[in-house]
């Protein structure tokens, strides 16, 4: 009976994939097919949840095969990360109009990412206070207890590695090893190496223009090839998003969601408020928020379903340069730096909400303005160190809680709703990197206003 159920589910899954393929054959717009895949995943995953539940043999068995499509798509995107980061950063240097733009781009991107992370921390604290969760106590079951034990081991690793040591780990001792993504800091190490290559190119350009032009042509060719591979992979987006959303809905623990529902709501409210702040910032730079949301929704939808900022990088850069009007240099810097530094959701809101919950239980007045400013400062500084230890939001929370001398048990207690919150966190992380790219492009006056204002211009993938 179980085999029949699994086969039936897989047949329905394959038929839906076939339907998405037929839409592609009929030349339906890429963004439309992405939204259809997203909606189909919600419906299909919800049906599996209602009919069989999350832990049934049918759901588990079917997910093993459905994950081939979803996880396979994310793996293809991750395959592109190192080549894309390498050629994008160097290509950014070859496309910079003047060396003075280099400082403006890097400073603008970093300031935007770090400043918005500090604001995100404030929003996280205020959201917890608004929902009266400061000092709240959550139920600790077997799963939570096991997770807390693991976190205590992880915290020991974090404590052994100071932020200065983590910053040293950003330096690529063996770039070939980092290109194979052998360390948790490999991505930012490749960024550092690529930046050195780019600076060297600018030096050669002044002294030997002919050699520099040859190198530029090689990089341009490599960039064209990598972006062609990106295009080939992006064709799979509707199918990948359908599979990923099916998994997210079908395997969600709705009982845990009910138990920790108020915390989830508070987290989503904080993320929603921060997203609105992003739009207000853009409006201050004369970018129409409504037009912007329509243009970036495909990439943000993928970020939401995949829970992977790194996996979203190709879509991120493509959207910035081909839809929003951001220059290549700013888009590449913002997209790659946003993978590791100043993530508003994972390194900003999440650790701040946990601090606001746990601090009152140890006698700290969370309403004290100075303590709130301390949280914001610690979160902003710690957001540099997240990439140094790997693990995203969990390690960000461990670093912040450890720096403030607070117990880490709260991190383990919310593990059951972690995937649900992580989808929105990733959504916000990616959006912040796009905002940073726009601000940088505006700063160096390389922003294409006509592209942004073209409401019909959306991300297109060749068929």
């Amino acid at each position: 009976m179980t085999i029949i159920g699994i086969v039936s589910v897989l047949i329905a899954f394959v038929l839906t994939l076939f339907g998405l393929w037929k839409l592609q054959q009929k030349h339906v717009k890429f963004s439309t097919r992405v939204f259809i895949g997203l909606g189909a995943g919600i419906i299909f995953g919800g049906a599996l949840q209602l009919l069989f539940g999350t832990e049934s043999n049918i759901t588990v068995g079917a997910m093993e095969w459905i994950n081939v499509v979803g996880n396979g798509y994310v793996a293809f995107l991750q395959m592109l990360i190192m080549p894309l980061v390498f050629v994008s950063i160097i290509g950014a240097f070859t496309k910079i109009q003047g060396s003075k733009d280099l400082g403006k781009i890097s400073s603008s991107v970093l300031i935007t990412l770090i400043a918005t992370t500090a604001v995100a921390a404030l929003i996280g604290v205020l959201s917890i206070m608004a929902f009266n969760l400061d000092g709240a106590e959550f139920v600790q079951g077997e799963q939570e207890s096991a997770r807390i034990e693991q976190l205590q081991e992880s915290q020991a690793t974090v404590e052994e590695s100071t932020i200065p040591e983590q910053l040293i780990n950003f330096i690529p001792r063996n770039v070939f090893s980092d290109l194979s993504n052998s360390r948790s800091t490999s991505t930012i190490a490749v960024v550092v190496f690529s930046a050195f290559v780019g600076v060297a190119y600018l030096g050669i350009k002044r002294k030997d223009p002919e050699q520099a032009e040859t190198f530029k042509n090689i990089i341009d060719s490599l960039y064209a090839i990598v972006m062609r591979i990106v295009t080939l992979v992006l064709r799979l987006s509707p199918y990948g998003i359908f599979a990923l959303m099916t998994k997210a809905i079908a395997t969600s623990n709705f009982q845990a969601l009910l138990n920790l529902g108020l915390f989830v709501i508070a987290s989503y409210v904080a993320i929603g408020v921060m997203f609105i702040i992003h739009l207000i910032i853009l409006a201050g730079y004369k970018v129409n928020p409504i037009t912007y949301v329509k243009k970036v929704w495909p990439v943000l939808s993928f970020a939401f379903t995949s829970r992977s900022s790194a996996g979203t990088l190709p879509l991120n850069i493509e959207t910035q340069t081909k839809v929003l009007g951001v220059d290549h240099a700013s888009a590449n810097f913002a997209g790659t730096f946003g993978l590791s530094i100043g993530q508003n959701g994972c390194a900003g809101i999440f650790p701040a909400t946990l601090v606001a919950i746990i601090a009152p239980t140890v006698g700290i007045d969370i309403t004290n303005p100075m303590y709130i400013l301390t949280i914001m400062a610690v979160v902003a500084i710690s957001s540099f160190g997240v990439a140094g230890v790997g693990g995203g939001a969990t390690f960000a929370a461990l670093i912040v809680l450890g720096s403030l001398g607070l117990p880490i048990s709260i991190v383990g207690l919310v593990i059951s709703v972690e995937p649900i919150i992580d989808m929105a966190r990733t959504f916000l992380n990616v959006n912040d990197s796009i905002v940073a790219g726009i601000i940088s492009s505006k700063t160096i006056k390389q922003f294409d206003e006509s592209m942004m204002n073209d409401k019909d211009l959306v991300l297109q993938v060749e068929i």
Side-chain angles (χ1 to χ4, degrees):
M1 189 66 181
T2 299
I3 298 298
I4 295 175
I6 293 174
V7 171
S8 300
V9 169
L10 293 178
I11 290 175
F13 178 76
V14 171
L15 287 175
T16 307
L17 292 177
F18 179 75
L20 291 171
W21 178 78
K22 291 296 290 183
L23 292 176
Q24 177 178 325
Q25 295 302 108
K26 293 180 179 180
H27 302 286
V28 175
K29 284 197 306 183
F30 174 75
S31 57
T32 301
R33 288 185 283 119
V34 167
F35 289 135
I36 291 174
L38 179 65
I42 293 173
I43 295 172
F44 195 73
L48 293 180
Q49 174 82 249
L50 292 173
L51 292 174
F52 308 112
T54 60
E55 299 180 358
S56 73
N57 292 332
I58 294 177
T59 300
V60 173
M63 281 304 132
E64 290 182 0
W65 291 98
I66 291 174
N67 284 341
V68 172
V69 177
N71 294 344
Y73 176 58
V74 173
F76 275 125
L77 287 170
Q78 291 174 333
M79 171 189 74
L80 295 169
I81 300 305
M82 290 307 179
L84 186 58
V85 168
F86 181 69
V87 300
S88 295
I89 293 296
I90 298 176
F93 280 87
T94 64
K95 294 178 176 65
I96 290 176
Q97 299 299 319
S99 58
K100 63 179 181 180
D101 286 344
L102 176 60
K104 290 182 180 179
I105 292 172
S106 56
S107 61
S108 176
V109 168
L110 289 175
I111 289 172
T112 300
L113 292 175
I114 300 303
T116 52
T117 300
V119 175
L122 172 62
I123 299 301
V125 172
L126 294 178
S127 179
I128 292 299
M129 293 169 62
F131 283 88
N132 294 318
L133 286 174
D134 41 315
E137 296 183 2
F138 299 131
V139 177
Q140 180 173 331
E142 293 182 4
Q143 184 183 17
E144 287 77 16
S145 298
R147 179 59 171 167
I148 290 171
E149 291 181 7
Q150 294 175 1
L151 289 172
Q152 288 172 341
E153 296 176 2
S154 299
Q155 189 183 37
T157 302
V158 172
E159 290 175 345
E160 291 172 1
S161 179
T162 64
I163 290 181
E165 290 174 340
Q166 293 165 23
L167 292 175
I168 292 175
N169 285 332
F170 292 166
I171 300 174
R173 296 176 177 84
N174 184 337
V175 69
F176 297 103
S177 175
D178 285 321
L179 283 169
S180 66
N181 200 22
S182 61
R183 300 187 297 155
S184 60
T185 56
S186 285
T187 300
I188 198 164
V190 171
V191 171
V192 171
F193 175 76
S194 303
F196 268 93
V197 175
V199 171
Y201 161 80
L202 294 177
I204 296 297
K205 185 179 179 180
R206 289 192 299 269
K207 297 180 179 180
D208 192 342
E210 186 177 341
Q211 291 282 9
E213 185 63 26
T214 300
F215 179 78
K216 180 180 182 301
N217 291 335
I218 293 173
I219 293 299
D220 288 345
S221 297
L222 287 174
Y223 187 84
I225 290 173
V226 170
M227 293 312 295
R228 181 57 185 169
I229 299 174
V230 168
T231 297
L232 295 175
V233 173
L234 290 185
R235 291 180 182 178
L236 305 174
S237 295
Y239 316 106
I241 287 177
F242 167 57
L244 290 167
M245 184 52 73
T246 296
K247 176 186 177 182
I249 299 299
T251 60
S252 293
N253 188 335
F254 288 106
Q255 183 59 48
L257 180 60
L258 291 175
N259 293 337
L260 290 168
L262 201 56
F263 174 68
V264 174
I265 293 172
S267 298
Y268 266 77
V269 167
I271 291 168
V273 170
M274 195 62 209
F275 181 68
I276 292 173
I277 291 175
H278 286 175
L279 298 183
I280 293 173
I281 293 172
L282 290 175
Y285 280 86
K286 298 181 181 179
V287 173
N288 187 316
I290 297 176
T291 302
Y292 169 81
V293 170
K294 289 180 179 178
K295 286 173 172 285
V296 300
W297 200 251
V299 63
L300 296 184
S301 298
F302 176 75
F304 185 86
T305 53
S306 68
R307 295 170 52 199
S308 172
S309 297
T312 311
L313 181 61
L315 275 171
N316 186 336
I317 294 177
E318 286 277 278
T319 300
Q320 288 193 58
T321 57
K322 295 186 177 180
V323 178
L324 301 178
V326 177
D327 66 283
H328 284 275
S330 295
N332 291 322
F333 270 102
T336 51
F337 279 130
L339 295 180
S340 306
I341 297 172
Q343 295 191 338
N344 284 191
C346 290
I349 288 176
F350 184 64
T353 56
L354 298 186
V355 169
I357 291 173
I358 201 69
T361 66
V362 293
I364 297 174
D365 181 10
I366 195 64
T367 63
N368 186 328
M370 288 306 299
Y371 192 74
I372 293 177
L373 288 174
T374 301
I375 294 173
M376 294 172 64
V378 170
V379 166
I381 295 171
S382 298
S383 67
F384 274 97
V386 174
V389 293
T394 297
F395 277 99
L398 291 179
I399 292 171
V400 172
L401 290 170
S403 299
L404 295 173
L406 297 172
I408 65 167
S409 58
I410 182 67
V411 183
L413 295 178
V414 299
I415 181 178
S416 54
V417 292
E418 176 77 5
I420 298 171
I421 300 173
D422 193 44
M423 292 190 291
R425 289 195 310 239
T426 307
F427 173 102
L428 190 66
N429 294 341
V430 171
N431 190 69
D432 189 50
S433 68
I434 296 175
V435 171
I438 292 175
I439 292 175
S440 172
S441 193
K442 289 265 190 178
T443 300
I444 63 172
K445 296 180 171 55
Q446 295 292 325
F447 189 72
D448 189 339
E449 298 285 354
S450 62
M451 191 178 288
M452 171 60 80
N453 294 329
D454 186 351
K455 297 180 180 180
D456 297 325
L457 182 61
V458 294
L459 184 63
Q460 297 290 345
V461 177
E462 299 175 16
I463 298 176

